[in-house]
């Protein structure tokens, strides 16, 4: 971590006060989880966790949806204090709604902030970007491991980057005319030279790729943390949600589920736990308790029956969803986990791969 970033984070931390959450930091907010839990004893609430291809199991909210130093660059430096501050501001609203409170006009600003807060803090965003990069890196590694493809890449690089090739040759050859002639001969006869050069270059390229993967995974975490830290300065998402009409929906017979992404957006073309700038937003759903759903709607009422909502929420779960009880109907929903929990679709990722390879060959 750079000194400048650490210094800025310390300033931010000092401006927000002491850290409260410790190092076990919840990306799945406990205030939301408790709405689906059973208080086994004072201070201990458990929920039923559903995951794909696994039997449901009970777990305490203190331990579920949490990760060590999830919001910090390093212990004590990062976004944990900001998350705690936001929680302190919003938990009163959540408890009020969970307790049967009615939505009034004065709640609109806070509800918009709640949606933006839940959307930004989720583990889903960080892991999606990391997974996308790992997928692309795996494809690059396969290309680097194919002598024919790698030879084509090297030929294109030598052809398109004469200045860099010239700088490498300049270490051994002073005459620029001679260097250019050698470069041209190398490009024309690359199939012959490449067999010897490529083996060494392939090894170096794959080693560099491994280093890049390690760096980019750290980048994914740091970028997510910085995005959370900058969320209070960027009100565009809150502004968008502020324009919605909010209401509460019940009638789930205590069987409402909550995805680990905590929010689900209904757009003109898809269900998603993360809203793109160009998405045409129709509605947003925030499960608050086992029989209480917060609904925000853009232009018209988006009314779905209870079972349709349950199925949709399951698809926007990243790895799991929680519920109040273990029942057969809810078990059947687990097979839908992850179906719509994507920032980029498989076809969009494949398109990026094709464009990347086309640019290298």
């Amino acid at each position: 971590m750079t000194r400048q970033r650490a210094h800025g984070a310390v300033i931010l931390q000092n401006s927000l006060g002491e850290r409260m959450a410790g190092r076990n930091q919840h990306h799945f907010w406990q205030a939301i989880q408790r709405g689906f839990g059973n208080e086994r004893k004072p201070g201990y609430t458990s929920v039923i966790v559903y995951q794909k291809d696994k039997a449901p199991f009970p777990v305490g909210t203190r331990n579920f949806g949490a990760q060590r130093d999830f919001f910090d660059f390093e212990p004590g430096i990062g976004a944990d204090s900001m998350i705690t501050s936001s929680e302190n501001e919003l938990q009163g609203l959540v408890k009020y709604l969970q307790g049967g409170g009615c939505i009034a006009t004065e709640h609109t600003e806070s509800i918009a902030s709640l949606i933006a807060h839940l959307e930004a803090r989720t583990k889903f965003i960080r892991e999606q970007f990391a997974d996308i990069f790992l997928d692309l890196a795996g494809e690059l590694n396969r290309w680097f491991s194919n002598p024919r493809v790698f030879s084509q890449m090297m030929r294109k690089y030598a052809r398109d980057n004469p200045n860099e090739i010239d700088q490498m040759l300049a270490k051994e050859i002073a005459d620029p005319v001679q260097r250019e002639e050698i470069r041209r001969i190398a490009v024309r006869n690359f199939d012959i030279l490449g067999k010897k050069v490529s083996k060494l270059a392939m090894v170096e390229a794959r080693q560099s790729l491994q280093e890049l993967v390690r760096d980019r995974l750290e980048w994914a975490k740091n970028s997510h943390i910085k995005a959370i830290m900058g969320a209070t300065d960027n009100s565009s998402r809150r502004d968008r949600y502020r324009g919605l009409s909010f209401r509460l929906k019940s009638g789930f017979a205590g069987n409402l589920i909550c995805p680990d992404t905590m929010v689900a957006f209904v757009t003109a073309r898809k269900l998603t736990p993360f809203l793109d700038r160009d998405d045409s937003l129709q509605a947003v759903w925030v499960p608050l308790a086992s029989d209480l759903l917060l609904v925000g709607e853009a232009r018209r009422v988006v009314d779905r029956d209870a079972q349709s909502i349950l199925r949709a929420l399951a698809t926007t779960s990243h790895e799991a969803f929680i519920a109040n009880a273990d029942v057969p109907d809810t078990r059947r929903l687990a097979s839908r986990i992850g179906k719509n929990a994507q920032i980029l679709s498989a076809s969009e990722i494949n398109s990026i791969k094709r464009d990347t390879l086309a640019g290298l060959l």
Side-chain angles (χ1 to χ4, degrees), residues 42-173:
Y44 181 85
T45 300
S46 67
V47 295
I48 303 298
V49 176
Y50 291 80
Q51 296 176 322
K52 209 168 188 177
D53 301 322
K54 290 184 179 180
F57 60 92
V59 66
T61 61
R62 290 182 182 179
N63 299 315
F64 183 67
Q67 187 170 314
R68 187 175 177 86
D69 298 327
F70 184 80
F71 295 116
D72 283 346
F73 298 116
E74 59 185 51
I77 299 175
D80 184 40
S81 293
M82 175 171 283
I83 289 292
T84 301
S85 177
S86 296
E87 288 177 349
N88 291 340
E89 294 174 3
L90 295 170
Q91 66 181 348
L93 170 68
V94 172
K95 289 181 179 179
Y96 168 76
L97 296 176
Q98 289 173 333
C102 297
I103 296 177
T105 303
E106 59 264 28
H107 295 129
T108 297
E109 182 74 30
S110 296
I111 292 175
S113 296
L114 172 66
I115 296 168
H117 171 77
L118 296 178
E119 180 186 19
R121 69 182 285 165
T122 176
K123 180 183 178 182
F124 157 76
I125 295 176
R126 183 180 302 178
E127 293 206 342
Q128 272 285 287
F129 281 117
D131 288 347
I132 289 169
F133 179 77
L134 287 173
D135 193 8
L136 294 175
E139 193 68 22
L140 281 172
N141 186 57
R142 285 189 286 274
W143 296 341
F144 290 165
S145 303
N146 186 318
R148 181 185 62 79
V149 174
F150 191 75
S151 180
Q152 289 180 261
M153 290 182 186
M154 289 189 64
R155 182 188 296 108
K156 184 178 187 298
Y157 180 84
R159 184 178 64 246
D160 295 347
N161 297 273
N163 292 335
E164 292 190 24
I165 301 299
D166 184 71
Q167 290 175 10
M168 287 188 284
L169 291 173
K171 297 176 182 178
E172 304 293 335
I173 303 169

Side-chain angles (χ1 to χ4, degrees), residues 73-308:
F73 298 116
E74 59 185 51
I77 299 175
D80 184 40
S81 293
M82 175 171 283
I83 289 292
T84 301
S85 177
S86 296
E87 288 177 349
N88 291 340
E89 294 174 3
L90 295 170
Q91 66 181 348
L93 170 68
V94 172
K95 289 181 179 179
Y96 168 76
L97 296 176
Q98 289 173 333
C102 297
I103 296 177
T105 303
E106 59 264 28
H107 295 129
T108 297
E109 182 74 30
S110 296
I111 292 175
S113 296
L114 172 66
I115 296 168
H117 171 77
L118 296 178
E119 180 186 19
R121 69 182 285 165
T122 176
K123 180 183 178 182
F124 157 76
I125 295 176
R126 183 180 302 178
E127 293 206 342
Q128 272 285 287
F129 281 117
D131 288 347
I132 289 169
F133 179 77
L134 287 173
D135 193 8
L136 294 175
E139 193 68 22
L140 281 172
N141 186 57
R142 285 189 286 274
W143 296 341
F144 290 165
S145 303
N146 186 318
R148 181 185 62 79
V149 174
F150 191 75
S151 180
Q152 289 180 261
M153 290 182 186
M154 289 189 64
R155 182 188 296 108
K156 184 178 187 298
Y157 180 84
R159 184 178 64 246
D160 295 347
N161 297 273
N163 292 335
E164 292 190 24
I165 301 299
D166 184 71
Q167 290 175 10
M168 287 188 284
L169 291 173
K171 297 176 182 178
E172 304 293 335
I173 303 169
D175 184 359
V177 176
Q178 188 176 4
R179 292 199 301 269
E180 176 60 16
E181 183 60 26
I182 291 173
R183 188 191 71 83
R184 290 178 181 276
I185 292 173
V187 171
R188 285 197 302 268
N189 298 278
F190 201 85
D191 288 337
I192 299 173
L193 296 173
K195 291 180 181 179
K196 295 184 178 181
V197 176
S198 289
K199 289 184 179 180
L200 293 175
M202 284 170 66
V203 172
E204 292 184 6
R206 294 176 69 180
Q207 289 175 344
S208 297
L209 183 61
Q210 291 173 356
E211 294 174 4
L212 180 63
V213 166
R214 287 192 292 269
D215 178 68
R216 290 296 89 183
L217 292 179
E218 185 69 16
W219 168 86
K221 176 181 178 178
N222 292 345
S223 295
H224 184 210
I225 292 172
K226 286 190 285 186
I228 295 169
M229 293 173 71
T232 54
D233 299 324
N234 179 10
S235 61
S236 59
R237 287 187 178 273
R238 288 200 311 278
D239 289 344
R240 191 172 187 183
Y241 306 145
R242 193 185 292 123
L244 300 176
S245 298
F246 296 105
R247 61 185 175 92
L248 295 172
K249 181 179 176 66
S250 58
F252 297 93
N255 292 322
L256 184 62
I257 66 173
C258 184
D260 53 3
T261 50
M262 294 177 285
V263 294
F265 297 97
V266 183
T267 75
R269 63 188 183 93
K270 63 181 179 181
L271 285 162
T272 177
F274 182 79
L275 196 66
D276 290 333
R277 181 182 302 174
D278 298 330
D279 284 336
S280 177
L281 178 61
Q282 296 181 345
V284 57
W285 297 332
V286 182
L288 294 175
S290 57
D291 196 43
L292 187 66
L293 180 71
L294 172 63
V295 178
E297 292 155 324
R299 300 178 186 84
R300 59 183 179 83
V301 173
V302 179
D303 207 11
R304 306 276 181 88
D305 61 64
Q307 196 59 36
S308 295

